[in-house]
Amino acid sequence: MAERLPSLTFDELKDKACKIRKEIMDVCTKNGAGHIAPSLSCVDILVSLYYKIMALSADPKWENRDRLIFSKAHGAYGLYAILADIGYITVSEWKTFYKGSFLKGCVERSIEHGLEAGCGSLGHGLPQAVGIAFGTKLQGKTINVFCIVGDGELQEGSNWEAIQFAVKHKLSNLTVIVDANGLQAMDFLDNVLSVKCHKDDIEIKMKAFGATALNCEGHNIPAIVDAIKSIQESCRKNGTPGVLVAKTIKGYGVKCMENIPKFHFRIPSEKEMNIETEKRYDE
């Protein structure tokens, strides 16, 4: 049996999230890599999964590992930093990202490096996750499948077809986590397609489709962990897929970028980064 990666305490998880955010800023500003803001919003979700929730071993190809499909692939830099931290990719590959590394701006599938699916085209990750969850269920395996999607990405109809399939086939081994930062590319969701007066509309829609759905504060690691465990327990009991709507802030941790649409791909200047940045890291 493969040796499991260790589980961290909540204090250690908080420190890990701060470390990952600092690495994202250091590597991406040095190498000229955009898409920093969408990477920062999901760091606490990723840290909760990799260091507390998911069953993983030192071998990224361990047959009985839990799977993470990172569908909002334009915000993958926190994922890369974590994979380097746990040894699935080398630190040098992460540090040379955008400067000759095999890592791409959007996730490309590489199982030996812990990258379960290519998801550059948004709306494709959740259907893949549903297929993996369905396959493992048919094989009688007790493997959990997680999929991180963006709230803007949920405008793709392929996601709702996937949810219908997951509900129909009672995929209780599937947990979808929505990085609900309220922004898509260069504008707020409310200005694009979401109806402004419909509070918690994603959670309501997911429940209407038949999934078990909850929401939580997406930068509160204990709340994320508790919510995922609660969803998994309910899903096992009721035979439904689960959805967690994690309410986040795009650009979280860097004051000048937080909730500012223009920083979807734009790299902040040194002057901009000095605006109370460290205060946010250490809160």
Side-chain angles (χ1 to χ4, degrees):
M1 182 176 178
E3 183 178 353
R4 292 272 298 270
L5 292 179
S7 174
L8 303 185
T9 67
F10 284 124
D11 284 342
E12 290 170 332
L13 291 171
K14 181 180 178 181
D15 290 343
K16 187 70 72 175
C18 289
K19 174 179 178 290
I20 296 301
R21 283 194 174 88
K22 287 180 179 179
E23 281 194 18
I24 291 171
M25 293 305 300
D26 290 344
V27 171
C28 294
T29 55
K30 178 182 177 182
N31 296 354
H35 283 145
I36 297 172
S39 297
L40 292 172
S41 63
C42 56
V43 168
D44 297 298
I45 298 167
L46 286 166
V47 165
S48 299
L49 289 171
Y50 274 92
Y51 299 100
K52 194 72 173 180
I53 297 290
M54 294 173 64
L56 299 168
S57 81
D59 177 9
K61 296 187 288 184
W62 175 42
E63 183 179 358
N64 294 319
R65 69 189 181 280
D66 286 345
R67 269 66 163 179
L68 171 69
I69 309 302
F70 193 80
S71 189
K72 54 159 284 178
H74 299 105
Y77 307 160
L79 175 61
Y80 293 161
I82 288 172
L83 295 179
D85 185 60
I86 64 179
Y88 286 4
I89 63 177
T90 65
V91 172
S92 63
E93 289 286 3
W94 161 230
K95 293 297 177 70
T96 58
F97 169 62
Y98 246 59
K99 294 290 185 180
S101 167
F102 80 92
L103 298 170
K104 307 300 181 184
C106 294
V107 177
E108 292 191 0
R109 186 173 186 265
S110 180
I111 299 298
E112 63 268 30
H113 297 109
L115 300 168
E116 298 283 356
C119 297
S121 297
L122 297 179
H124 289 185
L126 182 52
Q128 291 182 77
V130 167
I132 293 170
F134 186 51
T136 57
K137 181 181 178 181
L138 290 177
Q139 296 174 57
K141 295 181 178 180
T142 55
I143 291 171
N144 295 303
V145 180
F146 299 91
C147 184
I148 296 179
V149 303
D151 48 0
E153 180 186 8
L154 287 178
Q155 294 169 7
E156 294 280 359
S158 53
N159 291 298
W160 300 99
E161 294 172 6
I163 288 294
Q164 288 182 82
F165 185 95
V167 171
K168 170 67 176 177
H169 293 281
K170 300 181 179 181
L171 300 185
S172 57
N173 56 340
L174 173 69
T175 303
V176 182
I177 304 174
V178 184
D179 180 5
N181 59 36
L183 282 155
Q184 62 179 95
M186 301 297 291
D187 206 350
F188 294 94
L189 266 68
D190 284 350
N191 296 332
V192 181
L193 196 60
S194 297
V195 181
K196 293 183 179 181
C197 62
H198 286 191
K199 188 176 183 295
D200 298 327
D201 64 323
I202 295 175
E203 183 182 353
I204 292 167
K205 289 172 184 174
M206 290 294 180
K207 288 179 178 178
F209 270 68
T212 295
L214 295 175
N215 68 71
C216 76
E217 204 280 287
H219 300 299
N220 183 327
I221 291 176
I224 294 169
V225 172
D226 287 347
I228 291 174
K229 289 182 177 178
S230 177
I231 286 173
Q232 288 181 314
E233 183 179 348
S234 295
C235 290
R236 285 191 292 267
K237 179 180 178 181
N238 300 319
T240 62
V243 179
L244 174 62
V245 182
K247 299 184 177 182
T248 62
I249 298 170
K250 194 168 183 176
Y252 184 78
V254 183
K255 192 69 174 178
C256 71
M257 299 176 72
E258 290 186 344
N259 213 32
I260 305 297
K262 71 179 181 181
F263 282 108
H264 173 70
F265 188 79
R266 182 176 176 275
I267 300 169
S269 67
E270 184 175 351
K271 181 179 179 180
E272 288 169 330
M273 286 191 295
N274 287 332
I275 303 174
E276 300 185 37
T277 298
E278 289 301 319
K279 287 186 179 180
R280 272 306 231 172
Y281 280 138
D282 296 331
E283 281 180 357

